[in-house]
Amino acid sequence: KQVYKRVVSALKPNGILILEAYTPKQLEYKSGGPPVAEMMCTLDGLREELEGLEFEIGVEMEREVVEGTLHTGLAHVVQVLGRKK
């Protein structure tokens, strides 16, 4: 969580952050990601942690991932495109 605050402070005004992370729902999918929900993100949580960004895109979704043998298949992710105010 501290990393996100540092990312926001490092961005220049109008700077953009693009982020994709697994959501806790990913634990049901078995297609990769951290083994515990506490290491995952939700859209609501990211809105709080990325205070100072205006979300141009913010969505939780199911999508197919193909990122190597341990991260392949249907997954549940959160995607964000945020612009620093």
Side-chain angles (χ1 to χ4, degrees), residues 1-5 7-8 11 15-24 39-51 53-61 63 65 67 76-83:
K1 295 181 181 187
Q2 291 300 318
V3 170
Y4 293 132
K5 289 180 182 181
V7 167
V8 172
L11 285 171
I16 293 176
L17 171 70
I18 299 172
L19 172 88
E20 179 176 79
Y22 290 113
T23 70
M39 296 176 70
M40 299 180 183
C41 300
T42 64
L43 183 57
D44 288 340
L46 287 171
R47 286 189 191 280
E48 288 180 26
E49 294 168 21
L50 294 170
E51 185 179 349
L53 295 185
E54 181 178 319
F55 281 40
E56 295 182 14
I57 297 172
V59 63
E60 290 188 14
M61 64 188 297
R63 79 166 188 93
V65 295
E67 300 168 349
H76 203 270
V77 299
V78 56
Q79 296 179 341
V80 168
L81 188 150
R83 182 179 305 272

Side-chain angles (χ1 to χ4, degrees), residues 21-35 40 60-65 69-78:
Y22 290 113
T23 70
K25 190 170 181 177
Q26 174 63 16
L27 294 171
E28 301 170 18
Y29 288 74
K30 309 296 184 208
S31 56
M40 299 180 183
E60 290 188 14
M61 64 188 297
E62 191 177 76
R63 79 166 188 93
E64 207 55 46
V65 295
T69 57
L70 299 177
H71 294 92
T72 299
L74 198 58
H76 203 270
V77 299
V78 56

